Amino acid sequence: MALLFLRDISLSFGAAPLLNKIHFQVETGERVCIVGRNGEGKSTLLKVIEGIQPADEGSRIVQDGVKIAKLQQDVPHDIQGSVFDVVALGLGDIGETLKAYHHAALEGDMDQLEKLQHKIEAQNGWDMNQQVDTILSKLDLPADDEFASLSGGMKRRVLLAQALIQKPDILLLDEPTNHLDIPSIQWLEGFVKNLRCALVFITHDRAFLQALATRIVEVDRGQLYSWDCDYATYLERKQAQLESEAKSNSEFDKKLAQEEVWIRQGIKARRTRNEGRVRALEKLRLERQARRSQQGSANLQVNVADTSGKKVIKIEHLCFGWPDKTIVQDFSTVIMRGDKVGLIGPNGCGKSTLLKLLLGQEQPQQGKVELGTNLQIAYFDQHRAKLNEELSVAENVMDSSDYVEINGQRKHIIGYLSDFLFAPDRARQPVKSLSGGERNRLLLAQVFAKPSNLLILDEPTNDLDVETLELLEDLLLNYQGTVLIVSHDRAFLNNVVTSSIVFDAPGLVNEYVGGYDDWLRQRPNLEANAGANKSSANKQTKNATQAPAPKTEKKLSYKDQREYDALPGLIEQLETQLETLSGQIAEPDFYQQEQTKIDKHLAKIQHKEQELEQAFERWEELEGLVNG
């Protein structure tokens, strides 16, 4: 028997119902992921399951004794007290008593301890106190630390403990990975997988979804569709379903059009023997009127500026730290035009600080950062500081005109925002009324409206639905400029970036070819060197401005060293020659020459491009030998 069953549930907050006579059930031990576009009603369905949102119609049946607990999407701002206090609150009244006993013990108030001890014994509370201690230990939580002082990831872990202390039969998770770093996501993934309770969760993290879900339930235009498979298989089956739906709708519309032609033929259509056909036509009209078309897809575009120089950012022996923390120590790299670079590391490691160093907003303590020529930068800020809460959606994007120009095409602001799924009435509402997903889409619209050849995206994936995420991936893959991305979305990194800059340890920043999974395969054995890294980091912490010990370099042979020293000059020379040769092609009379001269010139360009590519490959090879 199902732990919970929803039967013929309908719920509407406007014209079209969010849920329309849906059925849903949760079985013991299964892990159900609810998917669907933003605004389709996923969180509303979770509230109906929890019992805090009454339905307009239908029934919610919960098996006797079944407990339901929820880890909510956002961390409340009004929670006070220690970690023990917050977890104990999950136990209700006895939790309040245990909380008071815990504080009395810390303060040494013997009279209060005696009173509370009797109260706990009367409520059989000592077993529950042991349960709190056990869950704190299991989740590695500091009992006496203040909740307000914890990081976002640790706060989520405390709230998870508060939910688990209730020993739920069904655990509900609403976007549990939002704003968590990769280590926290992986911890949550492993912990939840080993729970014995049933799990119903919403997530846009495709790697998290693929690892956990035993069943996928999609909310689409008021209906629920259940898929007993993993995420990869669901995508294949969903595509087949959409194609079948489109074919069926096309055949239906064709039949309706034929019947509409027939009804207009005149009196023949109104004869008694054709009344059945007339009634059938009325039924077809009603069916077509009731059909809900799928919401259109976002049409993301980036306003591309003129091409930047080939070398976008050059970093040489970069060092920076705060008095109590080393951010980066002796890091060197070159970011070239067209590179898609991911920045990976736990929250607080210094990813945003590194971005500021690369953009010149912070100055290195050692080493140097050189920006290339003709750069036009567009910056996506995860904190959404560039959004004015009081202004409308449209006013946050447009400047002095009602039009924006995207790649030479002039668009009205309402039309431009519709590409980002903002209806006209929504585009005129203030930003403070938007959901998290809508705010992220608005910030993308704001950033992409500005001409750029270098995109800086700091956590662009939070709150976006999967379809918009995939459209963003395609856009970035086809973007001709350079992209720097900070993200904790493993699938997004794997699909987009060509290289990764990773904070492997405090102060230890390395570059790897490829995305997140590629880094996992290439990363060094940090545990073996943990002691050495910690010692080095502590030394840096004492004096952040002190020059760090240089990295041990391997010796090149005399010949290789001379070649290595000469290569930057050779690369610059080849780039200049290519620029000159390419410029000659643009001259009006170039193609009026003899064909043999044209062919010779084009072959020369091809030869120089090959020489340049070989020079870069050789330089990277020698650079690898130097830096080990």
Side-chain angles (χ1 to χ4, degrees):
M1 181 179 174
L3 298 173
L4 172 140
F5 187 67
L6 303 181
R7 179 184 294 157
D8 287 325
I9 293 289
S10 293
L11 180 62
S12 176
F13 297 112
L18 270 180
L19 304 173
N20 187 15
K21 296 189 178 299
I22 61 101
H23 297 271
F24 177 82
Q25 65 184 42
V26 182
E27 302 286 348
T28 303
E30 68 174 342
R31 298 192 294 268
V32 183
C33 182
I34 301 174
V35 301
R37 290 182 170 185
N38 288 338
E40 286 286 358
K42 300 186 298 295
S43 292
T44 301
L45 175 59
L46 217 61
K47 291 176 182 176
V48 173
I49 294 170
E50 187 182 4
I52 62 173
Q53 172 64 60
D56 298 334
E57 297 177 13
S59 54
R60 172 180 176 271
I61 304 164
V62 183
Q63 195 180 127
D64 289 343
V66 167
K67 291 183 181 178
I68 300 174
K70 181 181 179 183
L71 175 63
Q72 51 202 336
Q73 183 172 357
D74 298 313
V75 176
H77 298 293
D78 57 350
I79 296 181
Q80 296 180 343
S82 69
V83 170
F84 184 97
D85 297 342
V86 176
V87 175
L89 288 176
L91 295 171
D93 292 340
I94 186 61
E96 290 283 0
T97 306
L98 291 173
K99 170 183 168 182
Y101 183 87
H102 189 71
H103 281 278
L106 289 173
E107 295 164 5
D109 188 340
M110 302 308 294
D111 292 338
Q112 182 69 359
L113 278 173
E114 187 176 352
K115 292 178 183 176
L116 291 170
Q117 183 174 347
H118 292 308
K119 192 173 181 181
I120 291 170
E121 288 172 350
Q123 295 178 282
N124 195 28
W126 291 121
D127 287 343
M128 295 185 181
N129 188 76
Q130 181 60 39
Q131 291 173 22
V132 175
D133 290 338
T134 301
I135 201 73
L136 290 174
S137 175
K138 194 172 183 180
L139 273 68
D140 196 22
L141 293 170
D144 298 324
D145 285 12
E146 285 296 309
F147 179 82
S149 69
L150 301 178
S151 67
M154 287 299 285
K155 285 179 179 177
R156 290 244 173 162
R157 194 178 292 198
V158 173
L159 294 176
L160 177 61
Q162 186 189 74
L164 292 176
I165 199 68
Q166 302 170 47
K167 293 188 175 179
D169 299 285
I170 303 174
L171 177 63
L172 309 179
L173 305 176
D174 192 356
E175 291 289 0
T177 64
N178 259 10
H179 309 289
L180 294 186
D181 57 23
I182 291 176
S184 298
I185 293 171
Q186 290 174 321
W187 174 88
L188 180 63
E189 193 177 282
F191 184 84
V192 168
K193 191 179 286 188
N194 292 315
L195 291 176
R196 295 182 180 178
C197 60
L199 182 69
V200 181
F201 65 104
I202 298 170
T203 185
H204 295 144
D205 186 318
R206 290 158 291 177
F208 188 81
L209 193 166
Q210 176 69 16
L212 285 181
T214 58
R215 179 161 67 100
I216 294 172
V217 170
E218 181 183 22
V219 186
D220 183 12
R221 290 165 283 177
Q223 298 297 315
L224 295 194
Y225 301 92
S226 182
W227 311 80
D228 290 308
C229 58
D230 64 6
Y231 180 63
T233 309
Y234 153 76
L235 290 176
E236 295 175 3
R237 295 179 181 176
K238 175 63 179 176
Q239 183 59 36
Q241 183 210 43
L242 289 175
E243 290 171 1
S244 174
E245 179 183 332
K247 182 180 179 181
S248 176
N249 286 343
S250 176
E251 292 172 352
F252 179 94
D253 292 343
K254 184 178 179 180
K255 181 179 180 181
L256 176 60
Q258 290 171 343
E259 294 302 289
E260 292 290 4
V261 170
W262 169 79
I263 196 70
R264 286 166 176 75
Q265 286 179 348
I267 191 133
K268 287 189 299 180
R270 294 191 292 274
R271 290 176 182 169
T272 304
R273 63 187 176 87
N274 287 326
E275 283 183 0
R277 191 170 176 182
V278 173
R279 286 194 297 270
L281 173 58
E282 291 295 333
K283 185 179 179 182
L284 288 176
R285 286 172 174 171
L286 291 173
E287 283 184 38
R288 181 63 185 90
Q289 186 178 359
R291 185 199 300 170
R292 289 174 63 180
S293 298
Q294 192 176 37
Q295 181 188 19
S297 298
N299 180 26
L300 308 183
Q301 295 184 68
V302 180
N303 198 1
V304 182
D306 293 337
T307 304
S308 70
K310 196 167 185 84
K311 196 179 295 180
V312 176
I313 304 175
K314 183 179 181 181
I315 305 166
E316 292 183 328
H317 304 294
L318 177 64
C319 298
F320 187 87
W322 305 111
D324 61 341
K325 182 179 183 180
T326 303
I327 301 297
V328 56
Q329 179 182 345
D330 196 20
F331 175 61
S332 300
T333 191
V334 178
I335 297 173
M336 307 297 290
R337 183 176 67 227
D339 285 351
K340 312 289 192 293
V341 184
L343 272 65
I344 300 174
N347 287 337
C349 68
K351 297 186 296 295
S352 296
T353 301
L354 180 57
L355 282 181
K356 291 178 181 178
L357 287 164
L358 300 187
L359 298 177
Q361 296 173 6
E362 292 281 357
Q363 295 305 309
Q365 292 163 348
Q366 297 286 332
K368 61 180 180 179
V369 176
E370 293 179 4
L371 294 180
T373 57
N374 197 33
L375 287 182
Q376 288 188 255
I377 301 170
Y379 181 68
F380 180 102
D381 174 21
Q382 65 163 316
H383 301 295
R384 303 167 182 151
K386 294 183 180 179
L387 296 181
N388 188 322
E389 295 277 320
E390 302 304 321
L391 295 181
S392 72
V393 171
E395 288 169 333
N396 267 274
V397 176
M398 63 187 186
D399 292 321
S400 55
S401 169
D402 288 343
Y403 290 84
V404 294
E405 188 167 308
I406 306 295
N407 299 324
Q409 291 187 339
R410 199 160 176 258
K411 273 193 168 186
H412 192 275
I413 187 65
I414 299 299
Y416 175 68
L417 286 170
S418 70
D419 289 342
F420 291 81
L421 301 182
F422 289 101
D425 60 334
R426 200 62 170 155
R428 297 183 179 94
Q429 292 182 359
V431 169
K432 61 186 177 184
S433 69
L434 301 184
S435 67
E438 288 175 316
R439 287 170 188 247
N440 259 26
R441 273 193 275 118
L442 173 58
L443 193 52
L444 287 174
Q446 187 187 71
V447 170
F448 290 171
K450 301 183 185 304
S452 70
N453 48 37
L454 173 58
L455 278 177
I456 311 289
L457 305 177
D458 192 358
E459 289 288 355
T461 63
N462 283 335
D463 301 309
L464 294 181
D465 60 43
V466 171
E467 183 164 332
T468 306
L469 272 176
E470 290 172 347
L471 290 170
L472 179 60
E473 287 175 356
D474 289 340
L475 179 143
L476 295 178
L477 286 171
N478 294 313
Y479 179 62
Q480 297 301 307
T482 308
V483 186
L484 299 181
I485 305 169
V486 176
S487 180
H488 300 302
D489 188 319
R490 293 160 288 175
F492 187 77
L493 290 167
N494 285 335
N495 293 341
V496 173
V497 305
T498 56
S499 65
S500 301
I501 295 175
V502 184
F503 288 75
D504 280 319
L508 180 61
V509 179
N510 293 312
E511 186 174 18
Y512 302 87
V513 175
Y516 176 79
D517 287 345
D518 297 303
W519 163 63
L520 291 182
R521 288 190 290 269
Q522 300 171 66
R523 63 181 173 177
N525 184 358
L526 296 176
E527 292 181 3
N529 300 315
N533 290 336
K534 186 175 181 181
S535 174
S536 174
N538 289 340
K539 197 172 183 179
Q540 282 289 317
T541 300
K542 292 178 182 177
N543 184 0
T545 59
Q546 183 178 340
K551 191 185 286 184
T552 302
E553 296 185 350
K554 294 182 178 180
K555 292 282 186 182
L556 294 176
S557 68
Y558 176 74
K559 180 182 176 182
D560 287 346
Q561 184 65 53
R562 289 197 62 181
E563 183 184 6
Y564 178 65
D565 293 339
L567 274 170
L570 174 62
I571 289 171
E572 188 173 348
Q573 181 184 351
L574 288 169
E575 286 181 333
T576 303
Q577 291 173 355
L578 265 173
E579 191 173 345
T580 303
L581 290 168
S582 299
Q584 291 171 1
I585 293 178
E587 293 175 2
D589 58 349
F590 176 79
Y591 285 100
Q592 296 175 11
Q593 304 177 84
E594 295 178 6
Q595 188 61 44
T596 54
K597 289 185 177 180
I598 294 173
D599 292 342
K600 187 177 179 181
H601 191 91
L602 295 176
K604 192 174 182 180
I605 289 178
Q606 186 177 6
H607 179 68
K608 290 295 180 186
E609 287 176 341
Q610 290 173 350
E611 281 188 280
L612 181 60
E613 187 176 347
Q614 290 168 1
F616 268 116
E617 288 176 356
R618 181 59 176 159
W619 181 78
E620 289 175 356
E621 181 183 346
L622 293 174
E623 179 80 1
L625 291 173
V626 169
N627 293 328

